[in-house]
Amino acid sequence: QQQQQQQQQQPSRVIHLRNLPSETTELDLALLCSPFGKLEMMMLLGKGQALIQLEDLESAKAVIHHYSSTPCSVKGRTAYLQYSSRTEMFTPNRSSQSQGQHDNYPPPSHHGG
């Protein structure tokens, strides 16, 4: 059922990762995608999730295609990738709603739903 959901998702340069270990770093994300193309942006969202944006759609498709047949392992845990509903990530320094996050994105200590 999950693969069907992946197939129906509209391709995007932005990929959503989930089930990541809490100690995942930006380097871990970069290493996952570096064989497939240039990574433009990444954001650790906390709660085992992250967003990455690749340079072009073909690179993003290559990442999704590869990890649909090969398990994606991050620090020994299987992570799941799918196209994000976003077509592009915003850059925090351009966002008027930036909440003082600069170069690194520490996981929030508490998250209101």
Side-chain angles (χ1 to χ4, degrees), residues 60-112:
K61 285 180 177 179
V63 171
I64 293 290
H65 179 73
H66 176 78
Y67 290 116
S68 66
S69 57
T70 306
C72 175
S73 180
V74 180
K75 298 189 187 297
R77 180 187 269 191
T78 301
Y80 301 100
L81 290 80
Q82 66 185 51
Y83 294 114
S84 173
S85 54
R86 301 170 187 229
T87 54
E88 200 172 312
M89 288 170 61
F90 67 92
T91 48
N93 58 355
R94 283 192 205 154
S95 169
S96 59
Q97 296 178 352
S98 177
Q99 296 174 353
Q101 293 180 330
H102 299 293
D103 295 319
N104 23 2
Y105 303 95
S109 54
H110 55 18
H111 186 56

Side-chain angles (χ1 to χ4, degrees), residues 27-39 54 58-60 62-63 66-67:
L27 178 61
D28 295 323
L29 300 180
L31 291 173
L32 287 177
C33 301
S34 60
F36 307 102
K38 185 178 175 216
L39 197 59
L54 287 109
E58 293 310 308
S59 299
V63 171
H66 176 78
Y67 290 116

Side-chain angles (χ1 to χ4, degrees), residues 7-22:
Q7 303 291 329
Q8 293 169 355
Q9 195 81 9
Q10 194 70 18
S12 165
R13 293 188 308 146
V14 182
I15 295 174
H16 178 246
L17 294 92
R18 58 189 177 81
N19 200 43
L20 295 167
S22 58

